[in-house]
Structures are given as C-alpha cells and as structure tokens.
Amino acid sequence: KVNIMIKEFKITNFFSIKDTQTISFNIKKKDMLDQSSFISPCKNKLNNIIALIGNNASGKTTVLKGLSFLLWFISSSYQKLDINSKIPLQPHKLSQKKNSKFELIFEQNNKEYQYITELNANEVIYEFLGVKKERGYSYLYEYKREKDEIFFSKWALSKLNDDDKNRYKERKNASLFSFLISTGHLPAIGLKSVETYQTNIGGLGRVPFDMLQMFFELSHTLNNDEKRKNAILKYIKSFGLGVENFEIEDADIGIGIGFLDGSSSEHRNKMKALNITHKSDDGNFKLLFLEESNGTQNAIYLLNSIFSILDKGGILIYDEIENSIHPYLIKKVVNLLANKETNPNNAQLIFSTHQPWLLDDRTKTQIYIVEKNEKLETQAFILDTFDGVRNDDNFCAKYLAGAYGGVSDVRWF
C-alpha cells in the first residue's frame, strides 16, 4: 500500500452537515511555524495535525465520520458491500430529497489527485477522478448514472471491457474507484489504494471501546511486532502509571460470561496475552491488560494507533482523543506527530476534543471551531479566519472565555 497525504476534503448534506463544509490541511509557507507541518512531494505545504473543538452535539463527530466514510467508500465499497446493500450514509434531516456530495484532494506516489462523488443511500450518481497538472486537474475518468445507465463522459485509463462495464453497472452502491482498484486499472497508473488510514469512527459515530477486542488486537500486534511494543512501552513508562514492562505470555482466557471466572472449557481460549508488569517500592506485580484501569487501557490502545501510522504514514481519524486519559498525557501523544524524528513519514492526525488545553500546542491553521447554527446545521470554522487571532495567543483561555464560539450556552433552571 502506498500512503496517502490529505490536502483537503469537503462534505455536503451528510447527517448534521447541510451546506458544504471544508477541512483543509493545506497552508501557506508563512504558516509553517514548527515541525507540525511539512512540504509534500508535490510541494504542497501541509499540516500534520488538525484539532476540532466545540460543544456537545455540535457535529465534530459528523465531520470525522464524513472523512472516515469517504476513505472507506473510495477504497472498499466494491469489496465490502453486498450488491443489494444500502450505502451507509444519511442526508441532513431537512434535506432528505437531495444527494450527498464529497470531495477529496490527496497525494499518493508523488502525484496529486482530486476525487468527487455525488450519491445517496441507493446509488452513486456521479464520480470524477483527476490528476493535478499545471492548470487544474486533468481527468482520469468522469461518469454519471441515469435511469440504470452509466454515461462515461471522460475516460483516460486503459479501456474498460464490456464485461467489466456490465459488472460495475449492477453495482449501484459502489465507487468506481474501488472497482477500478480491483480490476487493476488504477494500480496500473500507480494509484493503488487510499486504505492507509485508521479511525475509531463507525457508521453511527465513535465506536465504543470493546475491552476484549482491544485486548485481542493489542496482544496479537505486540506479540508480532517487537519494535512497536518497545515504542509504546517507552511512552507508557514516562506517563507515571507505574508500568515497568509488557510481557506477552501464554494464557487460557475465558470468553464466556464472567470471562475471568474459570468458566467451562468450551468457553476458553488459549492465546498469547498481554500482561503488564508494575513496579512499586514494595515489589513488582503483573496485571492482565483486561485488569488495567480504563485510562491505562485507552492510553496503550491510542499509542498503538499512533505508532501504526507513524511507522508507515497515512492518516489517523480519532474522535474524543482524550477519552479517559489525562490532558497532559494526550498532549505528549499528539505531539509525536509534531516531531520529524518520531514522524519521518509525515503521518497526519485529525481529532476531536473537549479539552481546550490541547489547543495551545497548535497553530491557528490547525484548529477548527465546530458549532451548529440556528437551523441546526453543523459548521466548521478554521481559527485562522477569525479577526485578530495570533499564533502567540492563549487559545485555551480565549476559547474558554467564548472568544471563538463553540462553547456551551448552559441555561440554569
């Protein structure tokens, strides 16, 4: 897989978003103030980190869900959706009869691409893919679907044979991009996939942490990746949690009700299990990962996600990144992406938060205020467009004071 770098994405008529909202990683040279930005192979100046902050129910999750959906739809809809399945999206409740629209500008393999699609839960109406040239984007393909017919108005790839055309014609619910990856048309021009992303967002929003799933995933990953295990351990030890070591050991884990209670053998599973050694003045002891506090579990899991994209590049999309973790620790984790030594592949992170303390390490081009207007439509405003905002401002204090909006208007009864 070839890593992607995101320049910009747009979302229209998707859940609480009605009018087009734009999130851009693209900045000017004057805004490259520290190591949290980089110059891409296509000479774009891009941020490594974007933070979304706003009130509850403002739509922060919707913005992240839109990007997660778009990357999934582009890369995997042909392979993952059954032919009769609905496309997992919803328009704004007051705009049900209109289609949803998405746009993504990204880099891969030293080229810049633009992808546009218009669709609803039943079918893809329009799709465009172009590659950046000196003057705009030169099309690779463009098509429309009308009354069960597909009209290719532009095509610059190798010829699509009749069998392929008929196969895709039946797949109203899949992106042509994902279909062309499976047929080899896009890999033939060096465009292999956009799958180098991770997210904790599902179709209905942030996926609640499943303790067993976290346990199995981490035990498997750290058992097979000594480098990852040591990298995570280094940071966990610095967090003051009393952690001394990670040990992957054979275990007989019950997976029935009361999975640690020695239930009958048919409910038990032999596996490699993550144990965590703690050091105290009175001696050392081990805890199974499942026995750790929620904060320790979430910190280890988040670090695993962070190091996954640091290792290979790509983008991490994370809702409520501070969940059960102290803000000082989260600041340290996020800033792993703002250091060229720890982020040599220019991985990117976009996250939502309710912790304004996380804003002070960011620049004004890396902060978006998300709120709903009087029509209950989500809007996202980059801090750089607010009058008088300076990069040496105390973003945390000013946000809490209501200078930027996006704070609760609590009514006391």
Side-chain angles (χ1 to χ4, degrees), residues 205-223:
R206 180 165 61 92
V207 178
F209 284 117
D210 183 297
M211 189 166 57
L212 268 178
Q213 181 180 347
M214 290 168 64
F215 172 57
F216 292 143
E217 181 181 335
L218 286 168
S219 295
H220 175 77
T221 299
L222 302 189
N223 183 53

Side-chain angles (χ1 to χ4, degrees), residues 51-64:
L52 310 178
I53 192 166
N55 194 12
N56 288 102
S58 61
K60 302 183 300 296
T61 301
T62 299
V63 174
L64 299 180

Side-chain angles (χ1 to χ4, degrees), residues 258-413:
F259 50 84
L260 294 177
D261 65 357
S263 52
S264 59
S265 59
E266 65 266 27
H267 297 297
R268 303 190 69 79
N269 183 39
K270 293 185 181 298
M271 61 172 288
K272 296 289 186 181
L274 173 60
N275 288 268
I276 299 174
T277 301
H278 290 262
K279 183 178 181 180
S280 76
D281 292 341
D282 292 333
N284 295 356
F285 60 91
K286 289 182 184 179
L287 291 177
L288 195 64
F289 176 82
L290 296 168
E291 300 173 301
E292 292 287 349
S293 70
N294 285 342
T296 300
Q297 290 175 349
N298 288 343
I300 294 173
Y301 190 79
L302 173 59
L303 279 167
N304 184 55
S305 299
I306 291 283
F307 278 106
S308 177
I309 63 164
L310 292 177
D311 288 345
K312 59 187 178 183
I315 184 163
L316 177 62
I317 305 162
Y318 222 87
D319 193 28
E320 294 189 12
I321 198 168
E322 73 278 5
N323 185 34
S324 298
I325 306 175
H326 194 280
Y328 287 164
L329 305 187
I330 286 295
K331 285 166 73 78
K332 188 169 184 178
V333 172
V334 169
N335 281 326
L336 284 168
L337 285 97
N339 185 319
K340 297 309 178 191
E341 184 176 342
T342 53
N343 188 14
N345 298 309
N346 286 316
Q348 293 173 297
L349 168 67
I350 179 170
F351 67 90
S352 69
T353 183
H354 289 286
Q355 292 286 0
W357 294 275
L358 298 182
L359 304 182
D360 283 337
D361 288 340
R362 308 277 57 86
T363 70
K364 63 181 182 177
T365 65
Q366 297 175 346
I367 299 170
Y368 279 78
I369 307 298
V370 183
E371 58 185 9
K372 281 182 179 172
N373 61 20
E374 293 180 353
K375 298 179 180 180
L376 299 183
E377 300 167 358
T378 291
Q379 298 179 311
F381 305 97
I382 188 170
L383 201 58
D384 189 35
T385 60
F386 286 59
D387 290 339
V389 175
R390 297 167 51 92
N391 278 308
D392 57 1
D393 286 347
N394 186 324
F395 296 139
C396 172
K398 287 198 169 185
Y399 173 78
L400 289 173
Y404 310 135
V407 293
S408 298
D409 180 18
V410 180
R411 296 175 176 85
W412 298 101
F413 295 96

Side-chain angles (χ1 to χ4, degrees), residues 132-138:
K132 183 72 176 293
K133 300 295 183 182
E134 289 186 7
R135 299 180 180 178
Y137 294 91
S138 176

